[in-house]
Each structure stands twice: as structure tokens, then as C-alpha cells.
Amino acid sequence: MSDLKKIKEETLSKLRSKLDLSQINELKSDLFGKNGKITNQFKKIGSISDSEKKKYASELNIIKDELQTLINLKISEIEILEVNEKLQKEKIDVTLPERPIIRGKIHPVSQTIDEISSIFSEIGFSVEEGPDVENEYNNFTALNTPDYHPARDMHDTFYLDEKKQKLLRTHTSPVQIRTMIKGKPPFKIIAPGRTYRSDSDQTHAPMFHQVEGLHIDKDINMGHLKGCLNYFIKEFFEVDKIKMRFRPSHFPFTEPSAEVDIGYKIKDGKIVIGEGDQWLEILGCGMVHPNVLKNVNVDSDKFQGYAFGIGIDRLAMLKYGINDLRAFFECDYRWLNHFGFDPLDVPTNYRGLSR
Ligand code: DAH
């Protein structure tokens, strides 16, 4: 067999076997590279006798073209095969179930604080904050609760030092003091936040939440207090009418003082707020005591006003049908999933204002 035929047969047999892209490129340079078998055949032409030269050259060209065409065909065949294999491997399986989307929920207490803040902001209250660690003066003395006052015992205070100078605030009322010390009247603020007392059962937790309200101006009276609380309760519980009563009470920082009850009834095992002949205590309030104003350098001959303190957790429990206060603070993910709020699905009376 002539050299040319041998080269052709060998190449054809290689092309029949399974080749990948690198193997076929290798075969290509084996034939047509600088030292390739076909290239070398061309180099040989010069040494062939004149009579044979023409025939040999034409045969060589034919074989060269033929092999080149076959190799190029094979290359594109392999390329198509590789693309198909890749597509097969990367195919998206639309029958796979989606991965679960876990979206966080807003805690009912946070939600309630947002609702309370937005309701009061509608009637001109701004939101103030104070620290959880308070001093004895702001928490008690400035609020007209001197050392010997029995109200101190009612508070079951967590003291943080032996001298009883630092404590975890037992109510949000010290924010009244902080606000009035740093500013000038008039004041119209609410102050939601955490409060602490050494107490724990189904309706008491050592950490709980209150919102303080304070409105001081030239002629603010108890009628304003009643109107403001009436508006708030109606808005909060989303009712048109509310049964509400003010019971005389005592707080060292207000005179006169009152506790506010709202009417309710149980219908089909559920609590209905605003009607009925049962009463539920929801807050304490009163006209700010002149001694408190004196302690923060506000002239009580010129300025007066009211204050109130509302238990937030209690309101949240009533509105959202939660019956154990301790569940609020147990961090049970399943509970939060049930009672929490979808951040994108806020209740109807929420006005989009946050703390
Ligand atoms: N600080 C009181 C408490 O924790 C609640 C309270 C009552 C706040 C009357 C007030 C108020 O501002 O005027 O029990």
C-alpha cells in the first residue's frame, strides 16, 4: 500500500472511533501540523521524478482535501454532541418542589406599640424614649414618691446596686421627667417601652411594656384627658362607641388620679370590647401633680396637664385574643408564627408610622 493510502486508511479508522475534541485536534495536527504526515508528503514532492510528480501531487491534494473535510465534519459533530450533553445536564427540573420561604413575623407587642404610636401621632403626640436602666431619682423621687412613700413597696423594684441608686425602671413615667428636664413646655408626648418588676404569673411578667402619655400646656384639663383616652380606646379597638369609666385612685405623681375601666362582655366565648356590663381596668391617669412640675422647673401657676400610663401587653392580649402573658416572652417560634404579623399585611387601623 502506498504511503498516502496508508495515511488515509489509518485516519479513517481513527475517525470511526469515539473521539473527544482534544483527541481530534491532536489527529489534525498529526496530519497537517508542521511535521504532520500530510505536510511531510508535500515536502517529498520535490524529490519525485518529473513523470510521477503531477499524478502524485494531484492524489495528495485530493486526499488532503478529503481528510480535512472529514476532520472538520467530525469536529462540528463533537461540538454539537458536547453542547447537547451540557444542556441535558443543566436542564431545570420544573417538577422539583420549591424551597420553603421563611418570612419573619412582627411580634404582637411590637405591632401594638406601632399601632399605639400611630394613633397618638394623629392627634399631635410625638414619641420619646428613655433607658431601661434608670436612676432612683427619675423613677421615684422626681415623681413625688419620696423614700418613705408606700407606693415604692408596690413596685417590687429590681435594684442594680446596694445603695439602691440604679434600678430597672418600674414604669415608663420617668420619661416624663427626662422630657420635661431637657425641654420647655408645652409637652405632648408618649413614651412606649420596657418596664420591670419582680413579679411573675399568668398575668404578670418580670419584664412587660407600658406607654406613658404626657400633655402639659397652659390650660389642659381633665376633659382633655377624657377626650384623648376615649379617642384612643375607640381607635385601638376599632369600635365606634366605648363604655368607659374613671374610678378615683391614687398615684403620687397625679392629683386627682384615676384608673380607667372599659366595658366588655363575653359573646360566644369571645370578648367583646366597648359594651356589656363587665369592667376591665386598662390604665392609670390623672392631672400632673404640682410637685412633679416643680421638680422639673415647670411653673405650675402657668402650666398644667395630664399624664397616663397604659399596660401595652394587656391591650395586645385583649385585641388579639392571647390569654397567657408569659407566651409573649417565651420566644416560641410556633407561637410567633401564629400570633405574629406579616410585615406586608398590616391591620386596617395601622397608619404606617413606626416607633
Ligand atoms: N406609672 C403608673 C404605673 O406604672 C401608671 C400611671 C398612672 C402613669 C398614672 C401615669 C399616671 O402617668 O398619670 O402603675
Side-chain angles (χ1 to χ4, degrees):
M1 207 194 300
S2 76
D3 278 357
L4 282 184
K5 281 228 168 80
K6 208 170 144 210
I7 293 171
K8 184 178 167 182
E9 285 309 315
E10 265 176 22
T11 307
L12 288 179
S13 111
K14 276 188 187 156
L15 283 175
R16 276 192 292 271
S17 64
K18 196 172 183 295
L19 297 173
D20 63 23
L21 214 51
S22 75
Q23 285 167 321
I24 190 125
N25 281 328
E26 207 175 293
L27 177 63
K28 198 175 170 181
S29 72
D30 239 21
L31 296 171
F32 310 111
K34 222 174 174 189
N35 249 329
K37 287 174 188 154
I38 297 287
T39 317
N40 287 340
Q41 294 301 318
F42 276 101
K43 287 180 195 159
K44 260 165 70 181
I45 291 178
S47 59
I48 292 175
S49 65
D50 284 351
S51 58
E52 293 277 312
K53 206 178 249 173
K54 206 173 165 199
K55 188 172 162 243
Y56 182 81
S58 109
E59 205 180 330
L60 179 57
N61 269 317
I62 292 171
I63 288 185
K64 183 200 104 187
D65 287 347
E66 198 181 340
L67 292 185
Q68 242 169 7
T69 310
L70 284 173
I71 285 180
N72 287 341
L73 259 175
K74 189 80 179 175
I75 287 178
S76 48
E77 206 177 278
I78 291 174
E79 276 172 352
I80 289 173
L81 216 79
E82 285 189 352
V83 168
N84 279 346
E85 256 174 39
K86 214 172 159 197
L87 280 176
Q88 196 68 24
K89 266 196 233 145
E90 290 174 1
K91 200 167 82 180
I92 297 168
D93 183 354
V94 289
T95 64
L96 272 179
E98 61 168 39
R99 280 195 208 119
I101 301 171
I102 302 176
R103 201 192 286 158
K105 290 280 182 103
I106 295 176
H107 193 286
V109 170
S110 306
Q111 173 68 31
T112 304
I113 290 176
D114 277 357
E115 288 176 33
I116 293 173
S117 304
S118 66
I119 292 170
F120 278 109
S121 81
E122 288 269 300
I123 51 169
F125 284 82
S126 56
V127 178
E128 284 288 334
E129 277 184 344
D132 293 10
V133 175
E134 229 345 323
N135 59 50
E136 179 281 331
Y137 180 79
N138 288 345
N139 196 82
F140 289 126
T141 309
L143 286 160
N144 199 34
T145 318
D147 276 353
Y148 54 82
H149 201 290
R152 287 200 186 220
D153 301 332
M154 282 157 45
H155 277 213
D156 295 319
T157 313
F158 287 114
Y159 285 100
L160 300 176
D161 61 350
E162 276 178 14
K163 285 187 175 160
K164 295 188 168 179
Q165 291 301 300
K166 289 243 176 294
L167 47 82
L168 292 176
R169 65 178 179 188
T170 58
H171 50 178
T172 41
S173 304
V175 188
Q176 283 187 31
I177 302 300
R178 289 179 174 269
T179 305
M180 292 195 282
I181 283 179
K182 73 171 192 231
K184 287 214 172 330
F187 302 103
K188 196 173 182 184
I189 59 117
I190 57 159
R194 283 184 290 268
T195 45
Y196 305 84
R197 285 182 210 176
S198 174
D199 209 352
S200 182
D201 60 34
Q202 195 176 344
T203 53
H204 296 92
M207 191 276 293
F208 54 105
H209 298 84
Q210 286 190 339
V211 57
E212 190 74 12
L214 174 76
H215 187 185
I216 302 287
D217 208 332
K218 293 236 165 78
D219 40 29
I220 296 298
N221 59 47
M222 251 187 128
H224 295 114
L225 170 62
K226 282 180 90 169
C228 164
L229 292 176
N230 193 274
Y231 155 82
F232 166 68
I233 299 294
K234 280 196 300 206
E235 287 287 307
F236 183 76
F237 287 108
E238 298 173 58
V239 292
D240 293 331
K241 269 199 198 143
I242 190 92
K243 246 174 102 174
M244 198 170 168
R245 75 178 179 195
F246 283 65
R247 256 184 309 105
S249 184
H250 172 78
F251 299 103
F253 31 90
T254 42
E255 182 59 40
S257 305
E259 273 166 315
V260 173
D261 302 334
I262 51 173
Y264 76 97
K265 67 178 180 192
I266 304 288
K267 199 177 155 199
D268 303 329
K270 279 198 171 166
I271 186 162
V272 180
I273 301 287
E275 39 187 291
D277 48 17
Q278 318 239 48
W279 295 100
L280 202 71
E281 182 197 320
I282 54 153
L283 64 94
C285 61
M287 298 303 292
V288 177
H289 198 293
N291 286 351
V292 174
L293 296 178
K294 199 166 103 201
N295 289 338
V296 293
N297 291 323
V298 170
D299 186 347
S300 62
D301 286 333
K302 287 190 184 138
F303 290 97
Q304 61 176 34
Y306 61 79
F308 55 83
I310 309 175
I312 292 176
D313 314 277
R314 184 101 187 261
L315 287 191
M317 286 168 79
L318 284 172
K319 184 163 175 178
Y320 297 115
I322 297 161
N323 52 25
D324 189 341
L325 174 76
R326 288 168 296 194
F328 275 141
F329 312 120
E330 273 166 2
C331 303
D332 183 335
Y333 177 71
R334 293 159 304 174
W335 181 90
L336 188 57
N337 229 2
H338 181 78
F339 284 105
F341 290 83
D342 193 321
L344 302 177
D345 183 19
V346 284
T348 48
N349 72 347
Y350 178 66
R351 295 170 175 76
L353 238 151
S354 59
R355 272 163 291 157

